[in-house]
Protein backbone atom coordinates (compact mmCIF):
# COMPACT_ATOMS: atom_id res chain seq x y z
CA UNK A 1 0.00 0.00 0.00
CA UNK A 2 1.11 3.53 -0.75
CA UNK A 3 -0.36 6.63 0.86
CA UNK A 4 -0.28 10.34 0.16
CA UNK A 5 -1.88 13.47 1.58
CA UNK A 6 -2.50 16.74 -0.23
CA UNK A 7 -3.52 19.85 1.72
CA UNK A 8 -6.03 22.21 0.09
CA UNK A 9 -7.65 25.53 0.89
CA UNK A 10 -11.02 23.82 1.01
CA UNK A 11 -13.10 22.64 3.95
CA UNK A 12 -13.86 19.19 2.50
CA UNK A 13 -11.92 15.98 3.13
CA UNK A 14 -11.80 13.83 0.00
CA UNK A 15 -10.51 10.30 -0.44
CA UNK A 16 -9.30 8.48 -3.53
CA UNK A 17 -8.33 4.82 -3.41
CA UNK A 18 -6.94 3.26 -6.57
CA UNK A 19 -6.05 -0.33 -7.38
CA UNK A 20 -4.40 -1.78 -10.49
CA UNK A 21 -7.31 -2.95 -12.60
CA UNK A 22 -8.04 -5.51 -15.24
CA UNK A 23 -7.38 -6.02 -18.90
CA UNK A 24 -10.36 -4.99 -21.00
CA UNK A 25 -12.54 -7.95 -21.93
CA UNK A 26 -11.17 -10.25 -19.24
CA UNK A 27 -13.32 -12.02 -16.65
CA UNK A 28 -11.87 -9.66 -14.03
CA UNK A 29 -12.99 -6.66 -16.12
CA UNK A 30 -16.60 -7.86 -16.05
CA UNK A 31 -16.29 -8.70 -12.34
CA UNK A 32 -15.10 -5.15 -11.62
CA UNK A 33 -17.98 -3.70 -13.69
CA UNK A 34 -20.41 -5.58 -11.46
CA UNK A 35 -18.59 -4.57 -8.26
CA UNK A 36 -18.44 -0.91 -9.23
CA UNK A 37 -22.13 -0.84 -10.05
CA UNK A 38 -23.12 -2.73 -6.89
CA UNK A 39 -21.00 -0.43 -4.72
CA UNK A 40 -21.95 2.98 -6.00
CA UNK A 41 -24.52 3.15 -8.84
CA UNK A 42 -27.63 4.80 -7.47
CA UNK A 43 -29.31 5.22 -4.12
CA UNK A 44 -29.63 1.46 -3.59
CA UNK A 45 -25.89 0.88 -4.04
CA UNK A 46 -24.09 -0.74 -1.12
CA UNK A 47 -21.63 2.03 -0.23
CA UNK A 48 -24.14 4.81 -0.83
CA UNK A 49 -26.73 3.13 1.41
CA UNK A 50 -24.24 2.34 4.16
CA UNK A 51 -21.94 5.36 4.23
CA UNK A 52 -24.12 8.22 2.99
CA UNK A 53 -27.63 7.29 4.13
CA UNK A 54 -27.28 5.03 7.17
CA UNK A 55 -23.99 6.05 8.83
CA UNK A 56 -23.86 9.60 7.39
CA UNK A 57 -20.06 9.41 7.13
CA UNK A 58 -19.87 10.63 3.52
CA UNK A 59 -21.70 13.12 1.34
CA UNK A 60 -20.82 11.27 -1.85
CA UNK A 61 -19.14 8.08 -2.94
CA UNK A 62 -18.43 6.64 -6.36
CA UNK A 63 -16.40 3.91 -8.00
CA UNK A 64 -15.19 3.32 -11.53
CA UNK A 65 -13.74 0.36 -13.37
CA UNK A 66 -11.41 1.72 -16.04
CA UNK A 67 -10.21 -1.38 -17.92
CA UNK A 68 -7.53 -0.95 -20.56
CA UNK A 69 -5.71 -3.08 -23.09
CA UNK A 70 -2.77 -3.77 -20.78
CA UNK A 71 -4.67 -3.43 -17.50
CA UNK A 72 -6.41 -0.44 -16.09
CA UNK A 73 -7.45 0.92 -12.75
CA UNK A 74 -10.29 0.62 -10.28
CA UNK A 75 -11.10 3.87 -8.47
CA UNK A 76 -13.08 4.73 -5.37
CA UNK A 77 -13.84 8.38 -4.57
CA UNK A 78 -15.48 9.62 -1.38
CA UNK A 79 -16.07 12.93 0.35
CA UNK A 80 -16.36 12.89 4.14
CA UNK A 81 -19.42 14.49 5.69
CA UNK A 82 -18.75 17.70 7.60
CA UNK A 83 -17.19 16.90 10.99
CA UNK A 84 -16.37 13.27 10.14
CA UNK A 85 -12.77 12.27 10.76
CA UNK A 86 -11.06 10.99 7.60
CA UNK A 87 -9.93 7.90 9.51
CA UNK A 88 -13.54 7.02 10.37
CA UNK A 89 -14.65 7.20 6.73
CA UNK A 90 -11.67 5.18 5.53
CA UNK A 91 -12.25 2.53 8.21
CA UNK A 92 -15.92 2.21 7.22
CA UNK A 93 -14.98 1.80 3.54
CA UNK A 94 -12.36 -0.80 4.48
CA UNK A 95 -14.98 -2.69 6.49
CA UNK A 96 -17.42 -2.76 3.56
CA UNK A 97 -14.72 -3.91 1.12
CA UNK A 98 -13.54 -6.61 3.53
CA UNK A 99 -17.11 -7.86 3.77
CA UNK A 100 -17.34 -7.99 -0.02
CA UNK A 101 -14.05 -9.90 -0.29
CA UNK A 102 -14.98 -12.44 2.38
CA UNK A 103 -18.76 -12.83 2.17
CA UNK A 104 -19.33 -11.89 -1.45
CA UNK A 105 -22.15 -9.96 -3.02
CA UNK A 106 -25.73 -10.66 -2.03
CA UNK A 107 -27.63 -12.30 -4.95
CA UNK A 108 -30.13 -9.42 -5.01
CA UNK A 109 -27.30 -6.88 -5.35
CA UNK A 110 -25.73 -8.98 -8.11
CA UNK A 111 -29.04 -9.04 -10.03
CA UNK A 112 -29.52 -5.31 -9.50
CA UNK A 113 -26.00 -4.53 -10.77
CA UNK A 114 -26.57 -6.61 -13.92
CA UNK A 115 -29.87 -4.80 -14.60
CA UNK A 116 -28.35 -1.35 -14.05
CA UNK A 117 -25.49 -2.15 -16.43
CA UNK A 118 -27.84 -3.58 -19.09
CA UNK A 119 -30.10 -0.53 -18.86
CA UNK A 120 -27.10 1.80 -19.10
CA UNK A 121 -25.84 -0.05 -22.14
CA UNK A 122 -29.25 0.15 -23.84
CA UNK A 123 -29.65 3.84 -23.05
CA UNK A 124 -26.03 4.65 -23.92
CA UNK A 125 -26.35 3.17 -27.41
CA UNK A 126 -29.78 4.58 -28.23
CA UNK A 127 -28.65 6.84 -31.10
CA UNK A 128 -26.61 5.74 -34.08
CA UNK A 129 -23.76 8.07 -33.08
CA UNK A 130 -23.73 6.62 -29.52
CA UNK A 131 -23.70 3.11 -30.96
CA UNK A 132 -20.87 4.03 -33.34
CA UNK A 133 -18.80 5.44 -30.49
CA UNK A 134 -19.46 2.35 -28.35
CA UNK A 135 -18.47 -0.07 -31.12
CA UNK A 136 -15.46 2.11 -31.98
CA UNK A 137 -14.16 1.96 -28.40
CA UNK A 138 -14.18 -1.84 -28.51
CA UNK A 139 -12.67 -1.85 -32.01
CA UNK A 140 -9.73 0.15 -30.68
CA UNK A 141 -9.36 -1.59 -27.32
CA UNK A 142 -10.14 -5.20 -28.16
CA UNK A 143 -12.54 -6.51 -30.78
CA UNK A 144 -15.63 -4.67 -32.06
CA UNK A 145 -18.12 -7.60 -31.81
CA UNK A 146 -17.58 -7.64 -28.04
CA UNK A 147 -19.53 -4.36 -27.88
CA UNK A 148 -22.65 -6.45 -28.49
CA UNK A 149 -21.80 -9.17 -25.96
CA UNK A 150 -21.42 -7.17 -22.75
CA UNK A 151 -24.74 -8.07 -21.14
CA UNK A 152 -24.18 -11.76 -21.86
CA UNK A 153 -20.59 -11.65 -20.53
CA UNK A 154 -21.61 -9.78 -17.38
CA UNK A 155 -24.37 -12.34 -16.93
CA UNK A 156 -21.69 -15.02 -16.53
CA UNK A 157 -20.34 -13.33 -13.41
CA UNK A 158 -21.19 -15.54 -10.46
CA UNK A 159 -21.08 -14.63 -6.78
CA UNK A 160 -18.27 -17.16 -6.21
CA UNK A 161 -16.16 -15.85 -9.11
CA UNK A 162 -16.77 -12.30 -7.98
CA UNK A 163 -15.64 -13.07 -4.43
CA UNK A 164 -12.44 -14.72 -5.74
CA UNK A 165 -11.67 -11.75 -7.98
CA UNK A 166 -12.22 -9.24 -5.21
CA UNK A 167 -10.11 -11.24 -2.77
CA UNK A 168 -7.15 -10.93 -5.13
CA UNK A 169 -7.74 -7.55 -6.79
CA UNK A 170 -9.16 -5.10 -4.23
CA UNK A 171 -6.70 -5.81 -1.43
CA UNK A 172 -4.99 -3.33 0.87
CA UNK A 173 -1.57 -4.43 -0.40
CA UNK A 174 -2.36 -3.42 -3.98
CA UNK A 175 -3.87 0.00 -3.36
CA UNK A 176 -2.85 3.63 -3.34
CA UNK A 177 -4.71 5.78 -0.81
CA UNK A 178 -4.80 9.52 -1.29
CA UNK A 179 -6.44 12.13 0.90
CA UNK A 180 -7.15 15.76 0.07
CA UNK A 181 -7.52 17.44 3.45
CA UNK A 182 -8.29 21.01 4.53
CA UNK A 183 -5.08 22.90 5.21
CA UNK A 184 -6.35 24.33 8.52
CA UNK A 185 -7.29 20.87 9.86
CA UNK A 186 -3.68 19.66 9.60
CA UNK A 187 -2.01 22.82 10.94
Amino acid sequence: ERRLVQLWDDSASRLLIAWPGAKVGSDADFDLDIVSTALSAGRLALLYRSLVVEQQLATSISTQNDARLDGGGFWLYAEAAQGVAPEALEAAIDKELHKLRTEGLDPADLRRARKVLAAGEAYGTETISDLGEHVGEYAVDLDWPMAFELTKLRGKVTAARLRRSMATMLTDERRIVGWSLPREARA
Side-chain angles (χ1 to χ4, degrees):
E1 177 181 283
R2 298 194 185 252
R3 300 181 77 79
L4 60 101
V5 174
Q6 174 70 46
L7 302 179
W8 291 90
D9 292 327
D10 187 341
S11 62
S13 296
R14 295 181 182 95
L15 171 67
L16 168 65
I17 305 175
W19 292 265
K23 182 177 179 177
V24 68
S26 66
D27 285 350
D29 177 21
F30 300 116
D31 294 349
L32 290 173
D33 284 346
I34 296 287
V35 165
S36 180
T37 303
L39 289 177
S40 69
R43 292 176 290 164
L44 297 177
L46 297 171
L47 291 179
Y48 184 85
R49 264 190 337 238
S50 175
L51 303 176
V52 176
V53 177
E54 295 168 6
Q55 298 180 59
Q56 299 182 355
L57 295 173
T59 58
S60 65
I61 190 148
S62 63
T63 57
Q64 179 183 356
N65 175 34
D66 187 16
R68 300 295 173 131
L69 190 57
D70 292 322
F74 187 88
W75 312 86
L76 183 149
Y77 308 91
E79 183 170 317
Q82 202 70 4
V84 171
E87 299 82 15
L89 176 58
E90 188 176 334
I93 289 169
D94 287 346
K95 181 179 177 182
E96 294 289 338
L97 293 177
H98 177 76
K99 181 178 176 184
L100 180 65
R101 288 190 302 261
T102 57
E103 298 176 19
L105 194 58
D106 181 89
D109 289 317
L110 178 57
R111 282 190 303 276
R112 181 189 157 279
R114 284 187 185 131
K115 287 179 181 180
V116 167
L117 285 164
E121 185 179 337
Y123 178 77
T125 58
E126 192 170 21
T127 68
I128 194 68
S129 61
D130 291 338
L131 180 59
E133 183 178 340
H134 179 68
V135 171
E137 288 172 358
Y138 277 89
V140 169
D141 288 342
L142 194 60
D143 190 19
W144 72 265
M146 185 172 274
F148 299 102
E149 300 293 318
L150 298 178
T151 298
K152 181 177 97 178
L153 292 166
R154 290 175 180 140
K156 293 180 178 181
V157 175
T158 65
R161 188 179 102 184
L162 191 65
R163 190 174 57 252
R164 285 190 304 272
S165 284
M166 298 313 93
T168 58
M169 297 195 71
L170 297 184
T171 64
D172 294 349
E173 298 81 23
R174 298 183 77 233
R175 70 185 186 173
I176 299 170
V177 178
W179 275 100
S180 169
L181 299 174
R183 188 175 312 277
E184 73 275 358
R186 297 295 270 186

